[in-house]
Structure formats: structure tokens, C-alpha cells
Amino acid sequence: DAMVIQNPRYQVTQFGKPVTLSCSQTLNHNVMYWYQQKSSQAPKLLFHYYDKDFNNEADTPDNFQSRRPNTSFCFLDIRSPGLGDAAMYLCATSRAVGGASNQPQHFGDGTRLSIL
Amino acid sequence: RKEVEQDPGPFNVPEGATVAFNCTYSNSASQSFFWYRQDCRKEPKLLMSVYSSGNEDGRFTAQLNRASQYISLLIRDSKLSDSATYLCVVNRDTGFQKLVFGTGTRLLVSP
């Protein structure tokens, strides 16, 4: 099945130790997104890639970076995780052509990040 | 004020009940609208898109009122499996799909 796959499902890291979360997709969608969702809160968009163009949300901390080496893969790098970064991280994809896109986003299962 | 507002609930209903969720959004430039369902510790999954004319998918009916910037979801004949958090989602659609999520309304359906 065409999917959005996130690895790992659960990630534990130490305070301040860099961590990378990965996302891959078989949908050939040109837009990929990273969201952060904390307990009982709405998913919050961190950034997205429109093809190779990176778009950062204004309130995304510098501690969060992303890489998209090709259409299928996108990575979320947290350079120095703090306790407040413990959350579910969701990857999503959608197709946008030219102008507007009303096509829904497809989400991966998420990676739950814990900070020790 | 949040861009997308929902009553967090929880809504506790018995099986077979009809339940309605409401949502308001503040950005009048919003282009498209969705309801997503999220089970505990899982990813959001698209339940249905919401159209101005209203649309129905089985036991689920969604309505959109652009003038009032109001979206609703009606669930008829509730099932135990409907227990989840329902997220109202608005697409700002600035050339790609930029979704803004409400915090969700939690539904608990009991036997």
C-alpha cells in the first residue's frame, strides 16, 4: 500500500543529545510536512518542503532542522533536545500542483520522542 | 484567540445516540475544511472533507457556514468504535496545503 512511514515509532534520547527522526513516502507527493503534537494539544506545523524548497514556520525554534534529500525522504533533526521537546512528531504529505491544493494530507504513524 | 476553536469535551454518549460537534475559525481566507479523527496516541486520520453544500458519509454529516465561519460534524447512531478525538481542520491553502488544527473534541461512547 502507498504509505507514509515514520521511523522509529518510539525514540528515547538524552537531554542535549542530537536525534534524527525519519519519514519516507511512496505516494510521490511533492509536499512533506513535519508537525509536533504535545499531549492534549493540536498538531503544530514546524516546517514543510514544497519540492526542494524549505519553509520554516516563524515560531519554530532554531533547534529544529530538516533535510529532504529526495522526493521520498524527509528528516527532522533536533540538535539539542530539551525536556520540552518531548512530543509526538508527525510527518505528512500532500500533492500541490501550481496553485491551490485541496487534497488532504496523509499522515504517518508518528514518532513518539521521550527525553531523559 | 486560537485560529480554530473547538469545545474540548469530553462528550459522553450512549451507543446509538446522535452527537454534534461544532467548530469556528477566524481566518476568512481559509479555503477548505476537514474533520480528522485521532485515536489515543495515534496519528490523525482524515474522516471527511467539508463542503459548503454540506456532505454526508454514512452516519457522518458535515456542514460548513462560510458566512458565520462555522463548521459542524454530526454523528448518528454512535458506535463504541466512534470513541476518539475529532479534530476540526482548516486549510489556509497558500499554494500548498497549510493545515491549522483545532485542539479536538473528545468523544466517549459507552455501552
Side-chain angles (χ1 to χ4, degrees):
Chain A
D1 292 336
M3 311 179 68
V4 181
I5 302 165
Q6 290 189 244
N7 284 303
R9 289 294 305 277
Y10 301 92
Q11 175 74 57
V12 181
T13 191
Q14 292 178 332
F15 182 94
K17 185 175 180 181
V19 65
T20 295
L21 310 181
S22 74
C23 177
S24 64
Q25 54 129 341
T26 59
L27 296 161
N28 203 30
H29 284 171
N30 57 338
V31 190
M32 294 186 77
Y33 309 79
W34 279 103
Y35 291 86
Q36 179 193 65
Q37 187 177 23
K38 297 185 178 181
S39 181
S40 301
Q41 295 186 22
K44 177 180 176 298
L45 182 65
L46 295 173
F47 26 59
H48 76 277
Y49 273 93
Y50 189 128
D51 294 322
K52 295 181 179 179
D53 294 331
F54 177 71
N55 299 271
N56 203 28
E57 291 300 297
D59 56 354
T60 298
D62 292 341
N63 199 26
F64 291 84
Q65 304 287 322
S66 186
R67 295 170 284 135
R68 189 180 186 186
N70 54 52
T71 301
S72 301
F73 285 87
C74 195
F75 299 98
L76 170 62
D77 301 309
I78 308 177
R79 293 191 296 189
S80 182
L83 296 178
D85 297 328
M88 169 88 93
Y89 289 88
L90 294 159
C91 175
T93 71
S94 71
R95 172 166 293 282
V97 180
S101 167
N102 287 329
Q103 297 304 308
Q105 290 184 12
H106 297 255
F107 283 83
D109 292 341
T111 294
R112 187 164 293 279
L113 179 66
S114 300
I115 315 294
L116 299 180
Chain B
R1 183 189 172 192
K2 292 178 183 175
E3 187 167 340
V4 180
E5 299 251 26
Q6 292 182 254
D7 181 342
F11 283 54
N12 290 285
V13 302
E15 268 188 294
T18 296
V19 61
F21 304 139
N22 302 319
C23 166
T24 58
Y25 61 96
S26 60
N27 189 336
S28 59
S30 300
Q31 297 293 319
S32 52
F33 309 87
F34 308 94
W35 284 101
Y36 276 74
R37 169 191 170 132
Q38 188 170 29
D39 292 290
C40 188
R41 303 175 77 85
K42 297 287 185 78
E43 79 280 16
K45 291 185 178 177
L46 178 67
L47 180 66
M48 60 197 301
S49 301
V50 187
Y51 303 113
S52 297
S53 55
N55 49 298
E56 188 174 305
D57 183 0
R59 297 182 292 109
F60 299 85
T61 301
Q63 295 276 354
L64 167 66
N65 184 324
R66 284 188 185 269
S68 304
Q69 296 180 198
Y70 172 93
I71 305 162
S72 65
L73 177 68
L74 183 76
I75 305 176
R76 291 183 298 278
D77 188 22
S78 299
K79 312 292 185 189
L80 295 176
S81 57
D82 294 334
S83 297
T85 296
Y86 290 84
L87 301 166
C88 177
V89 185
V90 168
N91 176 22
R92 286 199 209 138
D93 203 350
T94 56
F96 67 98
Q97 195 186 75
K98 181 164 182 173
L99 299 183
V100 180
F101 287 79
T103 52
T105 298
R106 192 168 173 217
L107 173 65
L108 300 172
V109 182
S110 54

